[in-house]
Amino acid sequence: MPFCIFTLFTPIRRQKLPPTPAEVRTHFMYHIVASDMDGTLLSPAHTLTPFARETLQQLTQLGVNFVFATGRHHIDIAQVRDSLGISAFMITSNGARVHNTAGELIFSHNVDEDIARDLYNIVHNDPDILTNVYRNDDWFMNRESPEQKEFFQESVFHYQLFEPAFLPTDGICKVYYTSDTHEKLLPLEEAINARWGDRVNVSFSLPTCLEVMAGGVSKGHALEYVAKLLGYTLKDCIAFGDGMNDMEMLSMAGKGCIMRDSHQRLKDALPNLEVIGSNVDDAVPHYLRKMYLEASAD
């Protein structure tokens, strides 16, 4: 009888490797994430929490295209982006400026010069309303307001004082007005819309901040421009915001998410959109982690 040796082979179980960013990208429902800053991504102290910072860094490492979409100035937001060390487009001044990931200006739309001149003067002498102007790389204000510094916890950006007769009217990204009360700004909103109609886009970014851009300027239209550059459409975008200056972006994106503490006017205007948590609780970073980071780990 022949002698036979039987060897038992145990199959080697290959360890499952985590998906590569390229593999993860193919499963994204939304390839572009656009977020407002104040009241949305930033904490109530106007800072990015460590949790938010880490979330944005991990998100972009996966290959998600993140876009800052804010009423803030590009000089301000560029510092925030650089401190994060991420690649991101910047939509600033509510869509009047767009910068690419290299920090190059790729889109601008200024307020008409005749309108800008009148906007400088319209409430210049009202002691209850401050007039602010974003002109090219600079920020101007008609009176001292030291409390404005509290908004710049992540960057260094200072205003200069101006007199309406001496401030040039070219290169105006936006003019905005701040007051202690929302009610004080409501007649101004009505007057500006009545006077210039569709030559301007007027919206509240905060109840106490009324912003005026050129007609046709919005975060939504700027996001459409960015999406096209990246080879996508608005259907491939998810957006987060809390102010009326976010309305076009939230309504035009494939999915719009409204913050819990948003203006009631925004919630009334977009009643079918999902309302998420508050910036107090880092609602946007938590939402993004669940949608992208936890999903990619499964």
Side-chain angles (χ1 to χ4, degrees), residues 8 10 35 38 50 98 107 153-154 156 170-171 221 223 259 283 285:
L8 182 62
T10 303
S35 181
D38 296 284
V98 179
F107 174 84
Q153 302 301 314
E154 295 284 347
V156 178
D170 62 313
H221 292 93
L223 182 58
M259 305 303 290

Side-chain angles (χ1 to χ4, degrees), residues 65-101:
N65 298 287
F66 182 76
V67 180
F68 293 98
T70 176
R72 287 177 175 246
H73 196 282
H74 59 270
I75 296 293
D76 173 15
I77 296 302
Q79 295 175 61
V80 178
R81 182 182 67 176
D82 291 347
S83 75
L84 286 166
I86 65 173
S87 176
F89 278 79
M90 301 186 302
I91 294 171
T92 57
S93 295
N94 296 316
R97 296 289 187 273
V98 179
H99 289 76
N100 63 17
T101 58

Side-chain angles (χ1 to χ4, degrees), residues 209-279:
C209 184
L210 181 68
E211 315 219 3
V212 185
M213 290 69 61
V217 167
S218 76
K219 294 182 184 182
H221 292 93
L223 182 58
E224 184 176 32
Y225 176 73
V226 171
K228 186 176 180 180
L229 287 177
L230 291 170
Y232 298 108
T233 70
L234 284 167
K235 291 182 179 179
D236 300 303
C237 303
I238 181 171
F240 300 86
D242 75 314
M244 287 302 294
N245 60 328
D246 299 312
M247 186 174 70
E248 293 92 345
M249 177 175 72
L250 293 171
S251 62
M252 293 167 68
K255 181 175 178 61
C257 296
I258 299 177
M259 305 303 290
R260 183 185 70 200
D261 302 321
S262 297
H263 308 179
Q264 189 58 45
R265 191 194 287 194
L266 181 67
K267 292 179 180 178
D268 293 342
L270 302 172
N272 297 321
L273 295 192
E274 180 181 359
V275 177
I276 65 172
S278 169
N279 66 326

